[in-house]
Amino acid sequence: MRNKLPVLIAGVLLLMKCVAPGTRRNLDAKLQALLHQKEFFKLETQLNAGKDILDAGQQLYFRAFIDNAFNRNEASVTAIDTLLNQYASQFNEAAKAALLQSQEDAYFKLFEYAKAAEIDSMLLSGYSKGLDSEKIHDIQNTLLVRKALRNTPPQRTFITNNTNIRWTRDGIGLVEIPVKHDTSTYSCIFDTRANISSITETYAARLGLQMLPVSYKQSSGATGITFKTGLGIADSLYIGNILVRHVVFQVMPDSVLYLAQLNMSLNIIIGFPVIAQLKEVHILKDGWMIIPLFETASDLHNFALNGPNPVISLLTGGDTLCFNFDLGATTTDLYEAYFERYKPRIVKEGHKKTIQYGGAGGIQKKEVYVIPSLELMIGHKKVILDSVDVLTQKIFPEEKLYGNIGNDFASQFNELILNFDKMYIKGN
């Protein structure tokens, strides 16, 4: 009897040639849309499900962004190098510019400032056609920072055993931790969404920071207000018995970090670059913070990074949505994307109000709807927040996420675990 297997294989291959191009294009378009919307969790799921449909270059393209989002920075850098060296002909200028921006972000999170500066220069000189004017302005501003830091050693954190420290809340409810410099200890705000640690000019002088000759624009995540700031380097800091070397601080005028209505100053803010190098942080409701030597296993995968901004995936109203995770915010706010998604319910159940939003740089008034409650699920744990503000307009034009999760959410747990390695947030 004649062997029909080769004929069957040939038939399958012929069928694949007929349907694969359209299927591949459809999947590529779907993945591009998820990437554009910063839907990193859905992007990873869809890519894993459809990886056999895409060619090697397409797979690696999306994998590079996913690796960046889940703090696998070395893998993301390598993937982008491979794409630009071996698959460059598959991508237009806009796609190449997006890859380079992601690689620049990965280098910065690896504290390789000179390489980040080199990519910013490359973007401005060779890829400006793939960038809009606002993005070009952002890169020009970012380049000032990277150039100023190019001779600064990478930040390094040394964890030799379990570390227990006491934390407190300041006058507006933000978590503060003790940080030691030389023989003095300072209460510092613990702010997951601060892209760089921040300090007032007065306290920069007290700590004897090495000041760098640079001035650039920065903006407040809460208000969108922009202001001028500088850079300084702390040679060493201690968080409990953890040594952190070469810490970069934004040095701001005292007035920028002064909340006049409350008559209080946010003198020192410990931000994402320091917090992420702790790998895992346990915030206990009883006032203890634990940084373990060995990480805790979990099956959760609900934590990502949008650049240096922490993102949490939460179930709400039957939908799984992505939010900024911001321990530098007192309360949770929902963004314009949430308003548009649930507009009829919000208008019906909420009441309109003008709210003052304060942050670094000043106060802004914004129109919001206040909804009676918001139910959020993290793993199997349910949290209900009362009287939550829903913004009706974007704070930033490029805003994609559904809101900003603050301390009113985090304080609901007896223990909150942040893991920056396996990328999960767990509440107990």
Side-chain angles (χ1 to χ4, degrees):
M1 181 176 175
R2 184 180 175 187
N3 187 351
K4 295 183 179 181
L5 187 58
V7 177
L8 289 172
I9 292 173
V12 170
L13 291 174
L14 180 61
L15 182 62
M16 287 177 65
K17 288 180 180 178
C18 293
V19 301
T23 304
R24 186 180 297 124
R25 282 194 297 270
N26 290 339
L27 178 58
D28 183 83
K30 186 174 184 179
L31 296 175
Q32 290 285 4
L34 291 172
L35 177 60
H36 179 72
Q37 288 301 126
K38 311 296 184 183
E39 293 280 5
F40 303 117
F41 304 94
K42 293 175 183 177
L43 175 63
E44 184 177 44
T45 300
Q46 290 289 330
L47 179 62
N48 289 338
K51 62 184 179 182
D52 293 335
I53 297 173
L54 301 175
D55 64 34
Q58 288 173 305
Q59 288 186 51
L60 194 60
Y61 175 83
F62 293 109
R63 186 64 59 191
F65 290 105
I66 290 170
D67 283 339
N68 182 293
F70 294 120
N71 211 23
R72 301 187 288 262
N73 296 300
E74 294 91 344
S76 182
V77 165
T78 300
I80 293 168
D81 279 340
T82 301
L83 285 163
L84 295 176
N85 290 329
Q86 298 182 23
Y87 298 95
S89 61
Q90 291 189 22
F91 305 105
N92 60 26
E93 292 302 293
K96 291 175 185 176
L99 285 168
L100 286 170
Q101 290 174 76
S102 184
Q103 190 176 53
E104 192 274 353
D105 173 69
Y107 273 132
F108 190 74
K109 287 186 288 195
L110 290 168
F111 309 101
E112 297 191 33
Y113 308 118
K115 290 182 179 178
E118 183 180 342
I119 292 177
D120 281 331
S121 296
M122 190 187 310
L123 281 163
L124 294 173
S125 63
Y127 293 88
S128 58
K129 291 182 180 179
L131 302 167
D132 60 36
S133 58
E134 186 172 343
K135 180 57 68 175
I136 290 173
H137 182 267
D138 287 345
I139 294 171
Q140 289 170 338
N141 196 50
T142 299
L143 181 57
L144 293 173
V145 177
R146 285 25 172 184
K147 275 188 173 180
L149 291 170
R150 63 186 180 276
N151 296 320
T152 301
Q155 179 186 290
R156 292 289 180 260
T157 300
F158 302 91
I159 304 173
T160 56
N161 49 44
N162 292 340
T163 298
N164 299 344
I165 60 173
R166 280 301 232 174
W167 65 267
T168 57
R169 291 198 185 276
D170 69 5
I172 56 175
L174 302 182
V175 172
E176 289 191 336
I177 62 171
V179 175
K180 186 177 179 181
H181 179 265
D182 290 336
T183 58
S184 299
T185 300
Y186 303 90
S187 290
C188 304
I189 293 169
F190 187 87
D191 187 353
T192 53
R193 207 182 160 202
N195 296 168
I196 304 176
S197 298
S198 299
I199 192 168
T200 62
E201 290 176 344
T202 294
Y203 274 75
R206 287 186 188 179
L207 270 65
L209 298 192
Q210 175 197 347
M211 296 301 298
L212 303 181
V214 64
S215 177
Y216 63 99
K217 287 184 179 179
Q218 182 59 283
S219 61
S220 165
T223 64
I225 295 172
T226 60
F227 45 86
K228 283 280 191 177
T229 185
L231 288 175
I233 311 298
D235 180 71
S236 62
L237 298 174
Y238 279 91
I239 300 173
N241 54 17
I242 297 171
L243 171 62
V244 189
R245 298 289 312 278
H246 314 303
V247 180
V248 177
F249 281 91
Q250 294 180 125
V251 181
M252 302 183 183
D254 291 19
S255 59
V256 171
L257 291 175
Y258 176 67
L259 305 180
Q261 289 186 322
L262 301 171
N263 191 29
M264 66 176 291
S265 293
L266 312 177
N267 294 313
I268 307 176
I269 300 171
I270 297 299
F272 167 81
V274 174
I275 296 170
Q277 274 202 336
L278 299 176
K279 296 295 185 183
E280 182 173 300
V281 178
H282 298 234
I283 304 173
L284 279 62
K285 200 168 190 175
D286 65 5
W288 285 101
M289 181 179 289
I290 301 171
I291 298 103
L293 179 60
F294 301 107
E295 297 175 39
T296 308
S298 175
D299 57 359
L300 286 177
H301 181 51
N302 59 356
F303 194 20
L305 299 172
N306 177 23
N309 293 307
V311 173
I312 186 171
S313 175
L314 296 169
L315 182 66
T316 179
D319 295 326
T320 301
L321 304 179
C322 291
F323 304 85
N324 289 315
F325 182 74
D326 187 359
L327 292 184
T330 306
T331 58
T332 292
D333 301 310
L334 301 172
Y335 289 166
E336 184 260 359
Y338 189 93
F339 176 71
E340 292 298 330
R341 189 180 186 103
Y342 303 109
K343 188 173 182 178
R345 175 175 62 81
I346 292 168
V347 171
K348 180 181 178 182
E349 297 178 2
H351 64 275
K352 192 179 288 190
K353 192 174 181 180
T354 300
I355 301 288
Q356 285 190 333
Y357 280 84
I363 301 289
Q364 267 196 348
K365 291 183 178 180
K366 294 183 181 293
E367 184 181 89
V368 302
Y369 279 90
V370 182
I371 57 174
S373 65
L374 174 69
E375 183 179 299
L376 300 166
M377 291 287 295
I378 178 169
H380 299 294
K381 180 77 172 178
K382 181 191 294 184
V383 172
I384 299 177
L385 304 179
D386 297 325
S387 300
V388 179
D389 295 348
V390 185
L391 293 157
T392 58
Q393 295 182 339
K394 290 184 177 182
I395 299 173
F396 299 102
E398 70 275 14
E399 182 180 286
K400 303 293 182 186
L401 304 185
Y402 288 89
N404 194 64
I405 302 297
N407 271 282
D408 53 349
F409 172 86
S411 63
Q412 300 290 318
F413 306 98
N414 291 323
E415 178 185 37
L416 188 68
I417 303 174
L418 316 180
N419 186 297
F420 290 85
D421 184 25
K422 301 298 186 286
M423 296 305 291
Y424 71 84
I425 297 178
K426 182 178 181 181
N428 297 319

